[in-house]
Amino acid sequence: MDIKQSQIDSLIDDVAYLEHEAEALKYVIDSVPYDETPPGGRSIAEILMFLDHAQQYYYRKVIEDSFKSSRPINLNAYVDPEETFEPDEELSKDIQKLLYKLSKHRVALLNLIKNIQLIDWEREISKGRESITLYEFTSQMVRKERSTLKEIADLVLTYQNSKQMQRELESRNPES
């Protein structure tokens, strides 16, 4: 696969966008029950902790190793972040600190990605018999994280709409 600089520039923009999303959440997150865990799911705080964990201990490690190593790396040598994730109860209570940490790690990832040479984006990463480039691996990470952040934004919007509806009902029926 021939990777062009325009693709890398677009990828860098996408990673920067992920950092801006985490930053933007700081202003709306306090208005929602971010520590409530839905049945069979994770709370917003836990989802954000998982994103940070996956980025720090899986994606970033794979990205660093792939351009440091002279040989293709195999994803089977890395533990899936789902298997190693442990929610931090203390951090889940301080959502602003969590978002700050996530933002800071995003900036570090962005700087790492900006420093990868164009030719290195073509390095191979294998998983079993399949093989993808570092560019494709990083693009998959961005798509997953964008999807997860969209889920969080939808949850925040749902909570806010629910609160608004509750206020409207209470203003129409002040006795209850």
Side-chain angles (χ1 to χ4, degrees):
M1 174 182 197
D2 220 14
I3 298 166
K4 297 176 180 25
Q5 187 61 48
S6 60
Q7 290 172 286
I8 302 308
D9 293 342
S10 180
L11 182 65
I12 288 169
D13 288 345
D14 286 344
V15 173
Y17 173 80
L18 292 174
E19 191 265 328
H20 295 304
E21 278 286 298
E23 197 63 38
L25 274 173
K26 287 180 180 179
Y27 302 101
V28 296
I29 200 78
D30 287 322
S31 67
V32 299
Y34 54 81
D35 53 352
E36 281 184 17
T37 305
R42 288 185 174 137
S43 68
I44 291 173
E46 287 172 334
I47 294 169
L48 290 169
M49 277 187 267
F50 176 75
L51 277 179
D52 191 48
H53 171 78
Q55 182 217 317
Q56 285 295 97
Y57 299 99
Y58 180 73
Y59 292 110
R60 184 181 174 137
K61 192 162 178 28
V62 170
I63 291 168
E64 286 175 339
D65 290 355
S66 70
F67 74 87
K68 283 180 184 171
S69 174
S70 57
R71 297 178 359 169
I73 62 165
N74 189 329
L75 290 179
N76 292 334
Y78 299 83
V79 180
D80 186 308
E82 284 288 351
E83 293 177 32
T84 57
F85 175 66
E86 291 285 330
D88 179 336
E89 295 302 318
E90 217 41 50
L91 193 56
S92 70
K93 289 174 178 47
D94 189 348
I95 197 73
Q96 292 298 328
K97 183 177 178 182
L98 172 59
L99 287 170
Y100 172 77
K101 185 178 165 189
L102 187 65
S103 247
K104 190 175 85 173
H105 291 152
R106 287 277 173 276
V107 170
L109 179 66
L110 183 60
N111 289 332
L112 170 69
I113 287 172
K114 283 180 178 176
N115 290 319
I116 297 174
Q117 300 297 309
L118 182 61
I119 191 76
D120 290 330
W121 284 105
E122 295 178 10
R123 290 187 178 244
E124 283 192 8
I125 296 174
S126 63
K127 183 162 187 166
R129 295 175 189 250
E130 291 181 30
S131 183
I132 59 173
T133 63
L134 174 59
Y135 171 79
E136 290 167 317
F137 175 81
T138 308
S139 293
Q140 287 173 7
M141 175 200 75
V142 168
R143 279 193 302 278
K144 276 184 188 170
E145 289 195 8
R146 263 200 155 152
S147 168
T148 303
L149 287 169
K150 184 183 178 338
E151 283 176 43
I152 291 172
D154 289 347
L155 276 173
V156 168
L157 194 58
T158 300
Y159 284 131
Q160 287 177 331
N161 288 342
S162 168
K163 259 186 171 175
Q164 180 64 31
M165 199 177 296
Q166 188 67 36
R167 280 193 293 267
E168 286 173 17
L169 284 173
E170 287 171 3
S171 70
R172 287 186 201 147
N173 202 358
E175 294 90 45
S176 52

